[in-house]
């Protein structure tokens, strides 16, 4: 209620401000856009009348407005500190608006540091072509999404991908499994971080942040435009990588800190010819650290190269490659609680730093991602985009460790699982975007097709019950030579040596219809087909799980801008789906599960985007879920249901230059509504019912110590269900983080302290999270 009252107060202030600044009919208006050398719109640029006190700045959309200008001829200037002043003559006529656009002689990337130094709302960048797969402003988009940009990640000295996502309202990003792969809980549903630049990239290991420009968290089931397999009913996470730009720039980042942290990252950008049509950007990273637990370490390497080429005014190409090699012990050690445990912290807190393995339990994960894109401008209103993406991991020897408590005894069994994991994905996508009119009605359309192959090459798994050890005794050293000899060979009965292949095909279309400048309707539809070629067990020759299925997925949305470019109300219906290879008693395949979301809310970008607010309420219903047949538990039936409903609020504010605030709150109520058991319970690992985040920072924008800043944040998650029966919950937690930084044109120094209160907290599988830790970061800008 406080958030709604706050938004209403802001709306009142906007209306009052508009009335107080009503245009004098005897005067005119000067209005225009400010763009960078590369044509992108630039916020925070000063615009003034020469020899006058009249001046303003361009807003987040790059638009400026000078009001109440007496008729006459003036010189209008656009200026940014440290760059050339651009001027042009303008003649003002009473009662009319004259357009005067400016193009600066620098790219937006080059101007970015100047814009941030000027104290703009640096966290409020919502520009993205991925959410709707077409250029669509936040206030025009009926879908809710959040963006964690490079500025926020730099300010918080983010070194871990999941730490960046915690800045998003209503999400939990603490899940980590043994190989380092993370997942995000969005609106009560577990969501893999498998989307890269809008395409599937199933990276089942830690994502390095050195090549990230921003992270986009797109809320709600999004099967219509993204298909299935790499998203969830709660939404998806899209990581957007760094792209080349038109000027020479090199950043060298050195970081050291707790747990023997030692990290270097190099970001090199350069034009390759005088015309700046060929551009290259290279990122390299090396990350090494020990664990906060008794054992564990990382030695990770990362390399990426992105090349763009503008062949003509119509044709351009982008190719990027990233390679990574993660080496170390299992990312986190977690223990299965004993039967009868009801207070997780009381029972497990004393073992918080125990791993029960030693540093010789090592896995290596080499992998790659390749992305290629061709853009062709057919005409001023139509363009086509062709995209190719592939990636995978080939990890021949990796280990997963599990410790399981023995009920009533101070001991646990140690279990190892050995993998030889080899998979890759291949995706092709073709999109056609265009704009046309039917009378006075404007249409922005998308028509696309895509193909995705998920291929698992020969993969081996084997599980070994190692031994039983005392929970309080020192950890026994693991003699890996002996352990290798103990693992059983693949057996026909175990079916643990296999390969698989699954093909997905999609055809989709979307039409954003502007009936007026303020009222628009989005209509979208997808036809999706999955051909599962099955899982082949190589020792027996058996093939299981073959099926072919198809489904339709619709999406609708409406937006009305109550105040043009400042305040909009929206509503949407979205659909998601999941296929299964299981069959009923008669051998018939089940139809896809369906998730249907209804959502409505308000979006606001007020006071030249100094205040950005998103309020939304949603209801997700999952139907046709598989559950055990009550009459014959050996089989499944398809009539299960699950509900997830809630409310989310996001506020991004820049009350005055240098002060930046981002805050969010999420309430989620998830419930199993029809199943063989646990009806009325909260699903396991669906996140907390209440989640909150806040970050506030202040940076001096003038004076001798310009660039000196301080920031702090609070992150909260209420208790999380461990099991569907809700017999055990992970406790709630609140984290306090802080940072101090000094940002100058040639260098940046940052110091962060995370988990200041030294709070013990766990992820949704019982993964202990890091205790108090610090990092010192130095960036040299060349």
């Amino acid at each position: 209620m406080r958030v709604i009252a706050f938004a209403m107060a802001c709306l009142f202030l906007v209306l009052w401000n508009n009335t107080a600044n009503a245009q004098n009919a005897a005067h005119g208006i000067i209005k225009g856009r400010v763009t960078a050398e590369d044509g992108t719109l630039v916020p925070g640029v000063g615009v003034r009348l020469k020899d006058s006190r009249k001046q303003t700045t361009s807003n987040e959309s790059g638009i400026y407005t000078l009001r109440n200008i007496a008729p006459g001829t003036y010189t209008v200037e656009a200026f940014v500190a440290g760059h050339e002043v651009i001027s042009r003559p303008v003649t003002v006529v009473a009662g009319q608006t004259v357009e005067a656009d400016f193009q600066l002689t620098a790219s937006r990337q080059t101007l970015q540091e100047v814009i941030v130094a000027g104290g703009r709302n640096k966290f409020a960048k919502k520009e993205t072509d991925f959410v709707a797969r077409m250029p669509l402003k936040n206030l025009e988009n009926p879908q809710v999404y959040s963006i964690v940009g490079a500025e926020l990640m730099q300010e918080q000295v983010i070194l871990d991908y999941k730490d960046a996502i915690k800045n998003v309202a209503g999400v939990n990003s603490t899940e980590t499994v043994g190989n380092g792969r993370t997942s995000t809980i969005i609106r009560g549903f577990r969501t893999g971080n498998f989307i890269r630049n809008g395409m599937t990239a199933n990276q089942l290991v830690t994502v390095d942040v050195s090549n990230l420009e921003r992270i986009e968290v797109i809320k709600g089931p999004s099967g219509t435009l993204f298909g299935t397999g790499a998203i969830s009913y709660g939404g998806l996470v899209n990581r957007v990588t760094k792209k080349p730009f038109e000027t020479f720039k090199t950043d060298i980042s050195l970081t050291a800190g707790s747990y023997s942290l030692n990290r270097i990252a190099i970001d090199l950008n350069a034009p390759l010819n005088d015309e700046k049509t060929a551009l290259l950007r290279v990122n390299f990273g090396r990350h090494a650290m020990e664990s906060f637990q008794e054992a564990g370490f990382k030695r990770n390497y990362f390399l990426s190269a992105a090349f763009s080429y503008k062949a003509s005014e119509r044709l351009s190409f982008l190719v990027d490659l990233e390679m990574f090699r993660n080496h170390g012990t299992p990312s986190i050690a977690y223990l299965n609680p004993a039967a009868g445990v009801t207070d997780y912290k009381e029972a497990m807190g004393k073992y918080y730093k125990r791993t029960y393995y030693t540093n010789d339990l090592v896995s290596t994960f080499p992998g790659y991602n390749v992305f290629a894109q061709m853009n062709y401008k057919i005409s001023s209103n139509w363009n086509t985009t062709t995209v190719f993406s592939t990636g995978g991991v080939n990890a021949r020897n990796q280990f997963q460790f599990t410790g399981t408590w023995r009920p009533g005894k101070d001991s646990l069994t140690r279990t190892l699982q050995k993998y030889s994991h080899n998979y890759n994905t291949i995706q092709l996508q073709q999109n056609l975007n265009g704009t046309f009119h039917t009378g006075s009605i404007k249409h922005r359309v998308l028509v696309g097709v895509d193909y995705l192959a998920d291929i698992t090459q020969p993969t081996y798994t084997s599980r070994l019950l190692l031994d039983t050890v005392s929970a309080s005794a020192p950890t026994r050293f693991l003699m890996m030579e002996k352990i290798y000899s103990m693992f059983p060979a693949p057996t026909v009965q175990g079916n643990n040596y296999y390969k698989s292949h699954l093909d997905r095909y999609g055809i989709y279309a979307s039409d954003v219809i502007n009936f007026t400048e303020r009222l628009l309707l989005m209509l979208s539809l997808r036809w999706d087909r999955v051909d599962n070629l099955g899982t082949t067990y190589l020792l027996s020759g058996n093939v299981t799980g073959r099926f072919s299925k198809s489904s339709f997925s619709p999406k609708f949305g409406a937006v009305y801008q109550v105040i043009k470019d400042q305040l909009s109300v929206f509503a949407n219906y979205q659909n998601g789906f999941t296929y299964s290879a299981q069959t009923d008693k008669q051998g018939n395949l089940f139809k896809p599960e369906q998730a249907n979301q209804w959502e409505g809310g308000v979006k606001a970008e007020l006071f030249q985007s100094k205040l950005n607010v998103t309020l939304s309420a949603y209801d997700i219903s999952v139907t046709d879920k598989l559950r055990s047949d009550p009459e014959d538990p050996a089989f499944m039936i398809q009539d299960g249901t699950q509900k997830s409903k809630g409310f989310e609020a996001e506020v991004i504010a820049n009350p005055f230059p240098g002060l930046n605030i981002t805050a969010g709150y999420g309430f989620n109520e998830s419930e199993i509504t029809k199943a063989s058991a646990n009806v009325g319970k909260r699903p396991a690992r669906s996140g907390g019912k209440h989640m909150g985040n806040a970050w506030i920072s202040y940076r001096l924008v003038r004076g001798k110590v310009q660039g000196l800043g301080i920031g702090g944040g609070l992150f909260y998650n209420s208790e999380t269900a461990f099991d569907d029966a809700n017999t055990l919950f992970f406790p709630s937690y609140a984290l306090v983080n802080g940072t101090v930084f000094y940002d100058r044109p040639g260098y940046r120094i940052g110091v962060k302290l995370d988990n200041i209160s030294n709070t013990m907290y766990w992820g949704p599988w019982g993964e202990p999270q890091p205790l108090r830790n610090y990092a010192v970061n130095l960036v040299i800008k060349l």
Side-chain angles (χ1 to χ4, degrees):
M1 292 302 294
R2 290 182 179 178
V3 175
I4 296 174
F6 176 66
M8 294 301 293
C10 293
L11 175 58
F12 172 77
L13 288 173
V14 171
L15 295 173
W16 177 83
N17 183 64
N18 289 345
T19 302
N21 292 287
Q23 174 67 27
N24 188 329
H27 293 68
I29 297 174
I30 303 175
K31 184 177 182 179
R33 305 188 312 159
V34 181
T35 58
E37 185 180 50
D38 53 8
T40 59
L41 295 165
V42 183
V45 176
V47 181
R48 66 194 174 201
L49 292 184
K50 188 177 182 181
D51 301 324
S52 167
R53 298 177 64 182
K54 280 274 188 185
Q55 74 174 42
T56 186
T57 56
S58 59
N59 63 20
E60 287 299 313
S61 299
I63 307 297
Y64 77 91
T65 305
L66 292 166
R67 301 181 183 276
N68 291 319
I69 309 298
T73 299
Y74 301 88
T75 298
V76 183
E77 297 178 331
F79 61 94
V80 176
H83 293 264
E84 179 186 357
V85 175
I86 309 296
S87 61
R88 58 174 297 178
V90 174
T91 299
V92 177
V93 178
Q96 296 185 16
T97 298
V98 60
E99 299 281 343
D101 295 338
F102 291 91
Q103 186 171 38
L104 306 178
T105 57
S107 69
R108 175 164 177 149
Q109 185 76 29
T110 303
L111 294 165
Q112 189 60 47
E113 187 171 304
V114 176
I115 294 167
V116 172
R120 299 292 298 173
N121 194 355
K122 59 184 178 180
F123 302 151
K125 297 175 183 177
K126 289 275 191 171
E127 305 96 335
T128 175
D129 294 344
F130 293 110
V131 177
R133 294 204 184 276
M134 66 170 68
L136 200 62
K137 296 178 181 178
N138 178 44
L139 292 181
E140 296 179 308
N141 198 324
Q143 188 165 4
V144 174
Y145 60 94
S146 298
I147 292 179
V148 180
E151 293 81 8
L152 182 57
M153 288 190 281
Q154 182 185 65
E155 186 168 287
Q156 295 180 351
V157 194
I158 294 294
L159 304 175
D160 192 322
Y161 180 72
K162 60 186 176 64
D163 285 343
I165 302 174
K166 71 186 178 192
N167 291 284
V168 177
V171 304
N172 181 304
S173 60
T174 55
E175 181 183 283
T176 307
V177 296
N179 56 17
R181 173 175 54 86
T182 63
S183 295
T184 304
I185 298 170
I186 307 175
R187 297 187 172 180
F189 298 95
R190 181 172 179 257
T191 307
N193 298 315
F194 293 157
I195 305 292
R196 179 182 183 272
N197 294 326
M199 305 286 280
T200 299
N202 291 345
Q203 188 167 320
L204 295 179
V205 291
T206 302
V207 175
D208 195 283
V209 299
S210 60
N211 191 37
L212 292 182
E213 187 63 39
R214 66 183 185 273
I215 299 170
E216 302 176 347
V217 180
I218 304 171
K219 307 289 186 67
S222 301
T224 306
L225 295 183
F226 290 90
T228 185
I231 65 173
S232 81
Y233 300 144
L236 64 101
V237 180
N238 179 38
R239 58 187 189 271
V240 180
T241 60
K242 295 178 179 178
K243 306 296 188 296
F245 51 95
E246 301 83 359
T247 55
F248 286 97
K249 185 174 174 61
T250 300
D251 287 348
I252 301 174
S253 175
L254 305 171
T255 309
S258 299
Y259 317 126
S260 302
L261 171 65
N262 188 312
R263 177 182 173 89
I264 181 171
I266 300 174
D267 184 354
L268 169 65
N269 186 86
L272 301 181
N273 58 5
D274 293 338
E275 297 79 14
K276 298 182 179 180
T277 56
L279 310 172
L280 177 67
R281 190 168 187 177
V282 176
N283 276 271
F284 167 79
R286 192 255 186 188
H287 184 102
M289 69 181 301
E290 310 302 313
S291 173
F292 70 93
Q293 296 184 295
E294 66 180 346
F297 71 93
K298 297 177 183 177
R299 301 290 186 270
N300 297 345
Y301 292 87
F302 176 88
L303 175 66
S304 72
F307 172 75
S308 67
Y309 178 64
K310 187 176 181 181
S312 68
E313 290 301 318
R314 291 191 172 189
L315 181 64
S316 63
F317 300 90
L318 172 68
V319 178
D320 82 70
L321 163 70
E322 65 180 22
M323 297 179 290
F324 48 88
R325 181 181 182 273
N326 292 1
H327 178 78
T329 56
S331 277
I332 219 81
Y334 56 90
L335 306 175
N336 292 327
V341 170
T342 57
D343 187 321
Y344 194 88
K345 185 173 184 179
E346 180 182 7
M348 310 300 291
K350 58 186 176 181
Y351 306 110
Y352 199 80
K353 293 186 177 182
R354 298 301 308 269
T355 61
Y356 298 99
Y357 60 73
T358 51
N359 275 353
D360 56 332
L361 188 64
V362 176
S363 301
T364 302
F365 302 88
Y368 68 97
N369 283 305
V370 179
F371 177 91
Q373 179 175 299
M374 180 181 73
N375 293 311
Y376 182 73
K377 190 173 184 179
I378 301 171
S379 68
S380 58
N381 292 327
W382 292 89
N383 66 278
T384 179
T385 304
T386 305
V387 188
F388 168 80
S389 178
T390 185
V393 163
N394 185 5
R396 294 299 181 186
N397 290 296
Q398 54 177 297
F399 294 93
Q400 180 176 329
F401 177 91
T402 303
T404 302
W405 288 95
R406 301 182 68 199
K409 300 180 179 180
D410 184 33
S411 64
L412 75 157
T413 58
R414 296 195 297 178
T415 303
L416 288 181
Q417 184 156 303
K418 180 175 177 289
Y419 295 81
S420 176
H421 206 172
N422 185 354
Y423 76 90
N424 69 294
T425 60
I426 301 172
Q427 188 171 12
L428 288 168
Q429 190 174 99
Q430 178 66 55
N431 292 319
L432 175 68
N433 290 93
T435 302
F436 68 92
H437 289 77
T438 53
S440 61
I441 299 176
K442 178 182 177 181
H443 298 262
R444 282 170 286 180
V445 299
L446 160 72
V447 178
V449 297
D450 66 13
Y451 164 76
L452 172 64
D454 279 321
I455 303 169
T456 299
Q457 300 292 352
T459 289
Y460 163 74
T461 65
S462 184
R463 193 171 180 84
L464 171 67
L465 181 60
L466 186 61
D467 55 15
T468 298
V469 297
S470 168
S472 56
T475 300
R476 294 182 189 173
F477 192 80
L478 301 178
M479 299 297 294
M480 294 308 297
E481 294 82 359
K482 179 180 178 180
I483 288 175
Y484 270 110
S485 67
M486 293 173 63
F487 273 101
T491 63
V492 174
Q493 293 80 6
N495 282 332
N496 54 0
Y497 184 47
Y498 62 93
K499 64 179 182 178
S500 64
H501 188 123
L502 186 148
D503 291 323
R504 296 185 175 93
Y505 307 88
I507 302 174
Y508 48 89
S510 184
D511 187 3
V512 176
I513 307 168
N514 276 88
F515 293 99
T516 69
E517 285 191 345
R518 296 188 176 188
L519 176 64
L520 68 80
L521 180 67
M522 173 187 282
L523 304 175
S524 307
L525 182 66
R526 179 189 189 93
W527 175 80
D528 192 90
R529 179 180 177 84
V530 168
D531 287 337
N532 191 335
L533 305 184
T535 298
T536 302
Y537 297 101
L538 298 176
L539 296 180
S540 66
N542 294 334
V543 180
T544 63
R546 283 179 175 166
F547 69 86
S548 294
K549 296 182 183 180
S550 61
S551 65
F552 285 94
S553 176
K555 174 183 177 181
F556 310 110
V559 174
Y560 179 70
Q561 295 195 30
V562 180
I563 303 175
K564 185 74 169 68
D565 296 326
Q566 294 187 70
L567 179 69
S568 66
V569 294
F570 68 92
N572 69 59
Y573 163 79
Q574 294 181 194
N575 176 265
F577 49 93
T578 301
Y579 297 101
S580 172
Q582 297 191 54
T583 60
D584 62 15
K585 285 183 178 181
Q586 289 73 38
N588 299 315
L589 290 166
F590 292 109
K591 58 186 178 181
E593 288 184 1
Q594 295 286 336
N596 298 287
Q597 173 185 276
W598 294 95
E599 183 177 20
V602 177
K603 295 182 180 183
E605 296 180 2
L606 310 173
F607 310 114
Q608 293 189 329
S609 288
K610 291 184 178 180
L611 176 64
N612 286 250
V613 178
T614 301
L615 307 174
S616 65
Y618 61 88
D619 188 303
I620 303 173
S621 178
V622 183
T623 59
D624 298 323
K625 286 185 68 65
L626 298 180
R627 67 185 184 100
S628 297
D629 188 339
E631 298 179 358
D632 189 347
F635 293 92
M636 306 291 287
I637 58 176
Q638 191 174 34
D639 64 350
T641 58
Q642 182 177 329
K643 280 278 192 179
S644 179
K645 58 184 178 180
F647 169 79
E648 292 172 346
E650 179 186 74
V651 177
I652 306 173
N654 175 220
F656 54 82
L659 180 63
N660 288 276
I661 302 168
T662 177
Y665 169 72
F667 169 79
N668 174 262
E669 196 166 40
S670 292
E671 182 183 0
I672 301 170
T673 51
K674 187 173 184 180
S676 301
N678 304 315
V679 172
K681 303 293 187 179
R682 186 175 182 87
R685 292 171 286 281
S686 57
K689 183 177 288 188
H690 301 276
M691 289 169 279
N693 64 281
W695 182 264
I696 180 171
S697 66
Y698 178 69
R699 168 184 175 144
L700 296 173
V701 297
R702 59 180 60 88
K704 293 184 178 181
V705 289
Q706 177 182 350
L708 179 64
I710 186 170
L714 175 68
F715 306 93
Y716 172 78
N717 197 90
S718 62
E719 64 179 11
T720 300
F722 172 79
D723 54 9
D724 286 341
N726 294 179
T727 58
L728 180 63
F729 286 81
F730 298 113
S732 61
Y733 61 86
L735 305 178
V736 178
N737 297 346
T739 183
V740 178
F741 56 90
Y742 188 42
D743 199 346
R744 301 296 294 170
Y747 63 90
R748 186 185 193 281
I749 300 173
V751 180
K752 75 163 181 176
L753 184 60
D754 285 349
N755 195 0
I756 294 173
S757 59
N758 212 34
T759 298
M760 288 193 301
Y761 65 110
W762 289 264
W765 295 94
E767 315 97 299
Q769 303 296 308
L771 295 168
R772 184 188 300 119
N773 63 94
Y774 75 92
V776 180
N777 173 246
L778 169 65
V779 179
I780 302 170
K781 308 172 186 179
L782 303 177

